[in-house]
Structures are given as structure tokens and as C-alpha cells.
Amino acid sequence: MQNLSTKEVNYIKDILSWELLSTKKCFQYAHQELNPARQKLFFDTANMHQQNYLNLLNYVDQIVKKQGGQMH
């Protein structure tokens, strides 16, 4: 596997930031929502974004390990 370029690393950082922000916002909305059905929707969506974040983080970790601990 080739080393990641600086541009690719920046894309991954952006996606991680978006997923984290989406997770936080959905959890915040869920706690503010009074309607149980909508509250569940927000919690489910927050969990989905959280899982996306963790999956991407795990993927990046695997790449870094294959590259000997460095991202270029």
C-alpha cells in the first residue's frame, strides 16, 4: 500500500471532524427533543455517525501501522 499523500490525510481529517461534529449535534438534539420517536431518530443517527467515526479511525490506524507508523 502506498503512503497517504498530505492531501489524502487532510481529507481524512476533515471527514473525521465532520463525523464527530455530526455525532455531537445529534446527541445534543436528542437530549433536547421531547417527542420519543424523534428522540430515537436523533440517537440512532448519532450512533451511526459515531460508528462511522470509529470505523474511519480504525482504518487510518491500520494504514499507519502498515506504513511503519508514519503518514505522509
Side-chain angles (χ1 to χ4, degrees), residues 17-72:
S17 293
W18 298 331
E19 289 294 346
L20 185 59
L21 180 62
S22 296
T23 300
K24 289 178 180 180
K25 284 188 176 260
C26 287
F27 275 125
Q28 177 185 5
Y29 297 151
H31 287 291
Q32 293 173 352
E33 183 58 58
L34 300 177
N35 180 304
R38 287 188 212 145
Q39 188 179 45
K40 182 184 180 323
L41 177 65
F42 282 125
F43 276 126
D44 290 348
T45 304
N47 288 326
M48 178 199 64
H49 283 294
Q50 185 176 34
Q51 192 59 51
N52 289 344
Y53 178 87
L54 293 172
N55 288 342
L56 183 56
L57 205 56
N58 184 46
Y59 175 73
V60 169
D61 187 50
Q62 290 175 5
I63 291 173
V64 169
K65 285 179 183 174
K66 286 181 183 177
Q67 294 179 355
Q70 296 180 1
M71 290 178 65
H72 297 273

